[in-house]
Amino acid sequence: MDIIEKIKDFAGRFNQGLDAYFPMPQTLDCRVVEAMKYSVKNGGKRLRPFMLCETAKIFGVEENVAMPVATALEMLHSYSLIHDDLPAMDNDDLRRGKPTCHKAFDEATAILAGDGLLTYAFGIISSDSLRISPQIRCRLINMLSSAAGSFDGMVAGQMIDLAVENSDLNKIQNKESVIKRIEELKTGRLLRYACEAGAVLGGADEKERAAIVEYSRKIGRSFQIVDDILDAIGDEKLVGKTLKKDKNQNKLTFVNLYGLETARKMSDDLIAEAKLALSVFGEKAFVLHELADYMGSRQY
Ligand code: GRG
């Protein structure tokens, strides 16, 4: 099985488990649960859950033990996409090739659906039904709060991104460090969480955890660079969202800053460095190696 098949195979198992997370209320509040379910089940490559489960496997953790944490992470990721698509943010009509949550429902419901998914993620990880010790669950919750939040987390990254978008690009000093910071927080923190949570679940020692974090930072940056490349020259049907928005909006992106060729080279170098970071794990990290190559060359 090549890596694309492995990810699809995993996504099949992941998707099968989703319905159980959405018991439908029989009262007026069912609309928000429908919107949550629509957004989580609305396609998606399931890369973060895959990364989490595959990292956990290196440390001998079974997939069905890691899966609820992976599901919580995907819920939180889906919340971020719903809110990012809102008119007040990126104002997108299409996500994963289908109408965005506020288009399929309405804006107020989409805001609530995002709120519901964010909150639910913490509920899932804190549940006593998980086969994970309370100490580890608590650590995973704390890490997720940092990764997603407003102090050096995803929300902070989104804020910086919006602030840059609303300012004159020519007046921004040191664009290079600003774009790297946005990537590190907005995109990187959840990808890092995916890997780090897998390591923490598996009781990794400090050296192992640091190696996994290093790997996740490298592929995270490459992921964002490839996202920018796809926005510039990708296939809209494959990517499933409106492309060339970055150029239209005069956004600070890796492609706008460095040009396509340099951006591609930066991504390739990061993938090579990511694989180097895995050397402490030897053969056990084979799938993470494959995943790094996939992240650098993905078409959607
Ligand atoms: C609203 C707090 C808040 C944050 C939004 C997710 C996000 C932050 C912004 C989305 C904009 C963007 C293009 C981010 C960069 C990369 C990214 C997160 C892409 C989407 O992830 P994929 O490709 O999506 O894994 P799927 O649909 O496969 O899950």
Side-chain angles (χ1 to χ4, degrees), residues 211-264:
I212 287 292
V213 168
E214 165 95 353
Y215 166 80
S216 70
R217 287 301 306 118
K218 302 287 184 189
I219 59 168
R221 180 152 298 161
S222 160
F223 184 81
Q224 181 63 64
I225 295 173
V226 172
D227 214 67
D228 292 350
I229 294 174
L230 289 176
D231 185 83
I233 57 164
D235 176 337
E236 204 152 291
K237 278 206 183 78
L238 271 179
V239 181
K241 62 178 185 181
T242 316
L243 296 181
K244 304 199 171 44
K245 286 194 76 182
D246 292 350
K247 189 162 190 177
N248 297 342
Q249 293 178 353
N250 195 29
K251 271 188 98 163
L252 183 58
T253 72
F254 284 94
V255 170
N256 291 349
L257 193 58
Y258 298 100
L260 264 175
E261 206 177 312
T262 307
R264 168 57 64 201

Side-chain angles (χ1 to χ4, degrees), residues 101-153:
C101 189
H102 66 275
K103 285 282 163 192
F105 292 82
D106 58 81
E107 226 175 295
T109 305
I111 293 171
L112 289 177
D115 295 340
L117 286 168
L118 170 62
T119 315
Y120 200 18
F122 293 98
I124 292 169
I125 305 181
S126 60
S127 168
D128 278 336
S129 66
L130 268 56
R131 285 162 50 208
I132 302 170
S133 75
Q135 285 82 357
I136 300 269
R137 274 187 278 140
C138 200
R139 189 163 167 206
L140 291 173
I141 291 165
N142 187 264
M143 282 165 55
L144 188 58
S145 166
S146 303
S150 27
F151 302 98
D152 287 340

Side-chain angles (χ1 to χ4, degrees), residues 3 24 66 70 90 103 111 114 120 149 176 179 182 188 190 201 203 205 209 213 230-231 252 256-257 271 277-278 296:
I3 184 67
M24 207 47 73
D90 225 23
K103 285 282 163 192
I111 293 171
Y120 200 18
E176 192 161 345
I179 195 175
I182 293 173
L190 287 199
L201 262 175
D205 66 27
R209 195 197 57 81
V213 168
L230 289 176
D231 185 83
L252 183 58
N256 291 349
L257 193 58
I271 295 302
L278 295 176

Side-chain angles (χ1 to χ4, degrees), residues 21 47 62 156 162 170 178 268 276 279 297 299-300:
Y21 284 93
L47 286 179
E62 285 169 31
L162 288 173
N170 297 318
V178 174
D268 292 347
L276 209 60
S279 46
S297 61
Q299 303 295 315
Y300 59 93

Side-chain angles (χ1 to χ4, degrees), residues 45 48 77 79-80 84 96 158 186-187 223-224 227:
K45 297 180 286 295
R48 291 156 195 78
H77 166 61
Y79 127 73
S80 77
D84 185 66
R96 298 163 168 173
Q158 181 78 345
K186 190 179 88 167
T187 314
F223 184 81
Q224 181 63 64
D227 214 67

